[in-house]
């Protein structure tokens, strides 16, 4: 059975987080299709991964038998995240927009798993071509043609990191206007938010079913 790596990074609980609600819809559908499968789950808000250190970084470019004790310990922690990604048949990432970009915890995870010559820029990479579904929620709208389009750094960054560097097969689901129910100035946008949320939930369910069918074939 297939293995799903599920990563959430919202600082809010599921009841207050659109990205968590949508990743949850994906995961529940996936588990219905793969009751005997494996889900590796990381909640980066509850259990942040360590930020990359000099020891963890330099160890990635040195032979293991040359590692200092500090490098060995740091790289062992980093290797855990890399191996989880390598084991995954599919990846699901909740990536809410904070201050125009991704949460720092998600950036820390990426810094750990991007290893040149292994997961990145390598023909031998075990992660190459792995389908990854990114739920990129945001409080407003940064869609093409909107006033805030130039401030959209979530999809732009993740396309570069996931598709161009890690060579993953990336699909985005983008629920927008999530601040409308909380911000009185956005009250008239609530119907658009609700439509966007419903569309995202439907897209998550459809995507999970498509991937389930692919791995069952």
């Amino acid at each position: 059975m297939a293995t799903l790596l599920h990563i959430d990074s919202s600082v809010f609980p599921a009841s207050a987080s659109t990205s968590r609600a949508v990743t949850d819809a994906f995961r529940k559908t996936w588990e219905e299709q793969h009751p005997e499968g494996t889900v590796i789950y990381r909640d980066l808000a509850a259990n942040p991964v360590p930020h990359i250190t000099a020891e963890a970084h330099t160890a990635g470019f040195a032979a293991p038998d040359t590692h200092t004790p500090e490098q060995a310990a740091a790289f062992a922690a980093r290797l855990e995240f890399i191996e989880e990604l390598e084991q995954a048949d599919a990846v699901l990432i909740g990536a809410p927009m904070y201050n125009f970009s991704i949460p720092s915890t998600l950036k820390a995870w990426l810094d750990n798993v991007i290893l040149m010559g292994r997961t990145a820029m390598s023909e031998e990479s075990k992660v190459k071509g792995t389908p990854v579904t990114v739920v990129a929620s945001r409080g407003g709208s940064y869609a093409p043609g909107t006033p805030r389009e130039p401030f959209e750094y979530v999809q732009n960054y993740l396309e570069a990191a996931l598709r161009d560097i890690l060579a993953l097969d990336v699909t985005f689901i983008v629920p927008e206007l999530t601040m409308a129910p909380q911000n009185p100035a956005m009250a008239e946008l609530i119907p658009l938010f609700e439509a966007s949320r419903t569309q995202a939930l439907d897209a998550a369910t459809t995507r999970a079913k498509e991937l389930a069918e692919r791995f069952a074939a």
Side-chain angles (χ1 to χ4, degrees):
M1 300 296 290
T3 295
L4 173 69
L5 174 59
H6 175 188
I7 297 170
D8 277 324
S9 60
S10 172
V11 298
F12 298 104
S15 60
S17 168
T18 296
S19 68
R20 287 183 184 270
V22 177
T23 60
D24 185 60
F26 181 108
R27 178 172 169 174
K28 285 181 177 177
T29 301
W30 173 276
E31 290 179 325
E32 289 171 359
Q33 303 295 320
H34 293 280
E36 298 178 0
T38 300
V39 175
I40 302 171
Y41 181 58
R42 283 202 174 272
D43 185 335
L44 301 182
N47 297 290
V49 304
H51 285 280
I52 200 78
T53 62
E55 290 77 15
H57 178 74
T58 56
F61 296 94
D65 59 1
T66 68
H67 288 176
T68 66
E70 293 77 15
Q71 285 178 315
F75 192 67
R78 186 179 180 188
L79 196 58
E80 179 181 352
F81 311 127
I82 290 172
E83 290 177 343
E84 286 179 349
L85 179 59
E86 291 177 334
Q87 292 167 18
D89 296 291
V91 181
L92 172 65
I93 300 175
M97 177 185 281
Y98 294 159
N99 299 315
F100 307 126
S101 188
I102 62 174
S104 63
T105 51
L106 181 55
K107 177 61 164 60
W109 179 82
L110 285 165
D111 287 342
N112 276 279
V113 300
I114 294 175
L115 179 57
M116 297 300 172
R118 179 162 177 170
T119 59
M121 306 299 181
S122 171
E123 291 299 322
E124 307 298 324
S125 171
K126 294 180 181 179
V127 308
K128 186 177 182 180
T130 300
V132 54
T133 304
V134 179
V135 179
S137 60
R138 59 278 314 275
S141 179
Y142 299 78
T146 62
R148 289 205 166 189
E149 178 185 0
F151 299 99
E152 206 300 307
Y153 300 112
V154 171
Q155 285 181 260
N156 290 338
Y157 170 71
L158 289 177
E159 282 180 355
L162 299 174
R163 179 177 293 135
D164 297 338
I165 297 179
L166 291 172
L168 302 176
D169 179 11
V170 185
T171 295
F172 284 97
I173 297 174
V174 186
E176 296 189 316
L177 304 169
T178 64
M179 287 298 297
Q182 287 78 42
N183 186 347
M186 299 175 65
E188 64 181 18
L189 300 176
I190 290 177
L192 292 178
F193 154 69
E194 292 174 342
S196 179
R197 180 185 170 94
T198 297
Q199 184 178 24
L201 291 168
D202 290 344
T205 300
T206 299
R207 177 65 173 164
K209 288 180 178 178
E210 290 174 349
L211 290 174
E213 291 174 359
R214 180 193 304 183
F215 291 114

